[in-house]
Amino acid sequence: MATDEVNIMHTLILAVILVLSAFGFPDRAEADDGVLNVTVSYRERMALPPDAELDVQLLDISRADARAKLLSAQRFSMIGVPTSVQLNYDAAMIEDRARYAVRAEIWTEDKKMFQATTTLPALGGETPELDIVLMRVMTGTEDTQPNRSITGVSWAVAEVAGVPWPNDDPATLAIDGEMRFSLFGGCNRFIGSVEAFDSRITFPEQFAGTLMACPDEIETAERSLLEALRSAMRYVRFGGGLVFLDEHDVALLHFVERPE
């Protein structure tokens, strides 16, 4: 091909690119960017040090037999409570059938002060809005309450997988000193034995209990509660609260102590 023909071809290609750019030729980086709107808070009445930082991570938790895969992580100055931030990620890495979670932690120097992990709705489409309530990390040197056991307490369910209990008569859980549990699921009642040791906890796969007909809303909440209990692997007690977590440290259930 002659030199003049090559130069003409290059000129035409450059002209096409300029025309496409003028009419909004898509920017790949912009097209592939995803964003999560995350708001974090905590219930303790305490001020944060001036150097406090918020660490937010997007995790792929699809594989139960492997560690969670880190997809995105960003750090922000923790300027107040609550704090709202945006976490960016590569949308091309998202798969329709995968399970995802967001982990949020507050750090000061090399000390973790608060943390929580919550599962996500399906990514894609509208930008998810996440409200995460963090739990204080106990190092063992703080002045703790005398009773740190989960037994001998009536626990009322506040949230199941981040969803508040749907009415004013919440499900309740009680575990006695012999590790036998009694559960009111919102409609039906269940009993059984639970294994718990050194913050580890395991509920049975099948629950013995009543089989009453329940309103649809309560039946759905009760089913979610039982599924969450089956997936529980670890618990954290803080003050008058109790949280059950799965193998990825994702919060499944939030309880509050209920006076007898």
Side-chain angles (χ1 to χ4, degrees), residues 171-183:
T172 57
L173 172 69
I175 303 173
D176 66 19
E178 301 297 323
M179 305 313 295
R180 295 172 299 199
F181 72 86
S182 58
L183 172 70

PDB file of all heavy atoms in Angstrom, residues 171-183:
ATOM      1  N   ALA A 171     -39.929 -12.714  67.923  1.00  0.00           N
ATOM      2  CA  ALA A 171     -39.475 -14.055  68.275  1.00  0.00           C
ATOM      3  C   ALA A 171     -38.523 -13.953  69.465  1.00  0.00           C
ATOM      4  O   ALA A 171     -37.836 -12.951  69.643  1.00  0.00           O
ATOM      5  CB  ALA A 171     -38.771 -14.708  67.089  1.00  0.00           C
ATOM      6  N   THR A 172     -38.499 -15.007  70.277  1.00  0.00           N
ATOM      7  CA  THR A 172     -37.632 -15.012  71.461  1.00  0.00           C
ATOM      8  C   THR A 172     -36.876 -16.328  71.545  1.00  0.00           C
ATOM      9  O   THR A 172     -37.334 -17.372  71.055  1.00  0.00           O
ATOM     10  CB  THR A 172     -38.442 -14.805  72.754  1.00  0.00           C
ATOM     11  OG1 THR A 172     -39.449 -15.820  72.854  1.00  0.00           O
ATOM     12  CG2 THR A 172     -39.100 -13.431  72.774  1.00  0.00           C
ATOM     13  N   LEU A 173     -35.713 -16.266  72.183  1.00  0.00           N
ATOM     14  CA  LEU A 173     -34.862 -17.433  72.362  1.00  0.00           C
ATOM     15  C   LEU A 173     -34.344 -17.457  73.788  1.00  0.00           C
ATOM     16  O   LEU A 173     -33.919 -16.419  74.311  1.00  0.00           O
ATOM     17  CB  LEU A 173     -33.674 -17.381  71.394  1.00  0.00           C
ATOM     18  CG  LEU A 173     -32.570 -18.427  71.582  1.00  0.00           C
ATOM     19  CD1 LEU A 173     -33.077 -19.823  71.208  1.00  0.00           C
ATOM     20  CD2 LEU A 173     -31.335 -18.061  70.762  1.00  0.00           C
ATOM     21  N   ALA A 174     -34.385 -18.633  74.407  1.00  0.00           N
ATOM     22  CA  ALA A 174     -33.814 -18.811  75.744  1.00  0.00           C
ATOM     23  C   ALA A 174     -33.024 -20.110  75.758  1.00  0.00           C
ATOM     24  O   ALA A 174     -33.455 -21.121  75.194  1.00  0.00           O
ATOM     25  CB  ALA A 174     -34.905 -18.838  76.805  1.00  0.00           C
ATOM     26  N   ILE A 175     -31.835 -20.078  76.375  1.00  0.00           N
ATOM     27  CA  ILE A 175     -30.968 -21.260  76.493  1.00  0.00           C
ATOM     28  C   ILE A 175     -30.666 -21.462  77.977  1.00  0.00           C
ATOM     29  O   ILE A 175     -30.224 -20.520  78.649  1.00  0.00           O
ATOM     30  CB  ILE A 175     -29.659 -21.064  75.699  1.00  0.00           C
ATOM     31  CG1 ILE A 175     -29.954 -20.771  74.227  1.00  0.00           C
ATOM     32  CG2 ILE A 175     -28.769 -22.297  75.825  1.00  0.00           C
ATOM     33  CD1 ILE A 175     -28.727 -20.405  73.415  1.00  0.00           C
ATOM     34  N   ASP A 176     -30.908 -22.695  78.481  1.00  0.00           N
ATOM     35  CA  ASP A 176     -30.661 -22.928  79.907  1.00  0.00           C
ATOM     36  C   ASP A 176     -29.239 -23.438  80.143  1.00  0.00           C
ATOM     37  O   ASP A 176     -28.451 -23.574  79.194  1.00  0.00           O
ATOM     38  CB  ASP A 176     -31.713 -23.888  80.493  1.00  0.00           C
ATOM     39  CG  ASP A 176     -31.633 -25.300  79.914  1.00  0.00           C
ATOM     40  OD1 ASP A 176     -30.574 -25.668  79.334  1.00  0.00           O
ATOM     41  OD2 ASP A 176     -32.611 -26.058  80.049  1.00  0.00           O
ATOM     42  N   GLY A 177     -28.922 -23.715  81.400  1.00  0.00           N
ATOM     43  CA  GLY A 177     -27.569 -24.141  81.757  1.00  0.00           C
ATOM     44  C   GLY A 177     -27.176 -25.489  81.206  1.00  0.00           C
ATOM     45  O   GLY A 177     -25.989 -25.824  81.153  1.00  0.00           O
ATOM     46  N   GLU A 178     -28.152 -26.296  80.780  1.00  0.00           N
ATOM     47  CA  GLU A 178     -27.871 -27.603  80.170  1.00  0.00           C
ATOM     48  C   GLU A 178     -27.804 -27.507  78.651  1.00  0.00           C
ATOM     49  O   GLU A 178     -27.790 -28.521  77.960  1.00  0.00           O
ATOM     50  CB  GLU A 178     -28.957 -28.604  80.581  1.00  0.00           C
ATOM     51  CG  GLU A 178     -29.077 -28.810  82.085  1.00  0.00           C
ATOM     52  CD  GLU A 178     -27.823 -29.409  82.685  1.00  0.00           C
ATOM     53  OE1 GLU A 178     -27.210 -30.262  82.007  1.00  0.00           O
ATOM     54  OE2 GLU A 178     -27.458 -29.005  83.806  1.00  0.00           O
ATOM     55  N   MET A 179     -27.775 -26.292  78.131  1.00  0.00           N
ATOM     56  CA  MET A 179     -27.704 -26.003  76.699  1.00  0.00           C
ATOM     57  C   MET A 179     -28.930 -26.523  75.944  1.00  0.00           C
ATOM     58  O   MET A 179     -28.848 -26.924  74.784  1.00  0.00           O
ATOM     59  CB  MET A 179     -26.410 -26.564  76.075  1.00  0.00           C
ATOM     60  CG  MET A 179     -25.148 -26.087  76.752  1.00  0.00           C
ATOM     61  SD  MET A 179     -25.126 -24.268  77.038  1.00  0.00           S
ATOM     62  CE  MET A 179     -25.106 -23.640  75.373  1.00  0.00           C
ATOM     63  N   ARG A 180     -30.071 -26.494  76.619  1.00  0.00           N
ATOM     64  CA  ARG A 180     -31.342 -26.765  75.950  1.00  0.00           C
ATOM     65  C   ARG A 180     -31.985 -25.423  75.623  1.00  0.00           C
ATOM     66  O   ARG A 180     -31.966 -24.510  76.434  1.00  0.00           O
ATOM     67  CB  ARG A 180     -32.262 -27.587  76.851  1.00  0.00           C
ATOM     68  CG  ARG A 180     -31.727 -28.989  77.135  1.00  0.00           C
ATOM     69  CD  ARG A 180     -32.560 -29.691  78.189  1.00  0.00           C
ATOM     70  NE  ARG A 180     -32.530 -28.943  79.457  1.00  0.00           N
ATOM     71  CZ  ARG A 180     -32.853 -29.477  80.632  1.00  0.00           C
ATOM     72  NH1 ARG A 180     -33.232 -30.747  80.706  1.00  0.00           N
ATOM     73  NH2 ARG A 180     -32.812 -28.748  81.733  1.00  0.00           N
ATOM     74  N   PHE A 181     -32.540 -25.313  74.419  1.00  0.00           N
ATOM     75  CA  PHE A 181     -33.124 -24.044  74.017  1.00  0.00           C
ATOM     76  C   PHE A 181     -34.636 -24.170  73.842  1.00  0.00           C
ATOM     77  O   PHE A 181     -35.169 -25.229  73.522  1.00  0.00           O
ATOM     78  CB  PHE A 181     -32.491 -23.520  72.721  1.00  0.00           C
ATOM     79  CG  PHE A 181     -32.868 -24.280  71.480  1.00  0.00           C
ATOM     80  CD1 PHE A 181     -34.028 -23.976  70.774  1.00  0.00           C
ATOM     81  CD2 PHE A 181     -32.055 -25.294  70.997  1.00  0.00           C
ATOM     82  CE1 PHE A 181     -34.369 -24.668  69.621  1.00  0.00           C
ATOM     83  CE2 PHE A 181     -32.385 -25.999  69.844  1.00  0.00           C
ATOM     84  CZ  PHE A 181     -33.549 -25.696  69.160  1.00  0.00           C
ATOM     85  N   SER A 182     -35.308 -23.060  74.073  1.00  0.00           N
ATOM     86  CA  SER A 182     -36.723 -22.924  73.748  1.00  0.00           C
ATOM     87  C   SER A 182     -36.862 -21.681  72.880  1.00  0.00           C
ATOM     88  O   SER A 182     -36.293 -20.627  73.189  1.00  0.00           O
ATOM     89  CB  SER A 182     -37.578 -22.800  75.012  1.00  0.00           C
ATOM     90  OG  SER A 182     -37.168 -21.702  75.793  1.00  0.00           O
ATOM     91  N   LEU A 183     -37.594 -21.819  71.797  1.00  0.00           N
ATOM     92  CA  LEU A 183     -37.679 -20.770  70.788  1.00  0.00           C
ATOM     93  C   LEU A 183     -39.134 -20.501  70.442  1.00  0.00           C
ATOM     94  O   LEU A 183     -39.883 -21.431  70.125  1.00  0.00           O
ATOM     95  CB  LEU A 183     -36.910 -21.190  69.532  1.00  0.00           C
ATOM     96  CG  LEU A 183     -37.046 -20.307  68.293  1.00  0.00           C
ATOM     97  CD1 LEU A 183     -36.332 -18.976  68.510  1.00  0.00           C
ATOM     98  CD2 LEU A 183     -36.472 -21.016  67.063  1.00  0.00           C
TER      99      LEU A 183
END
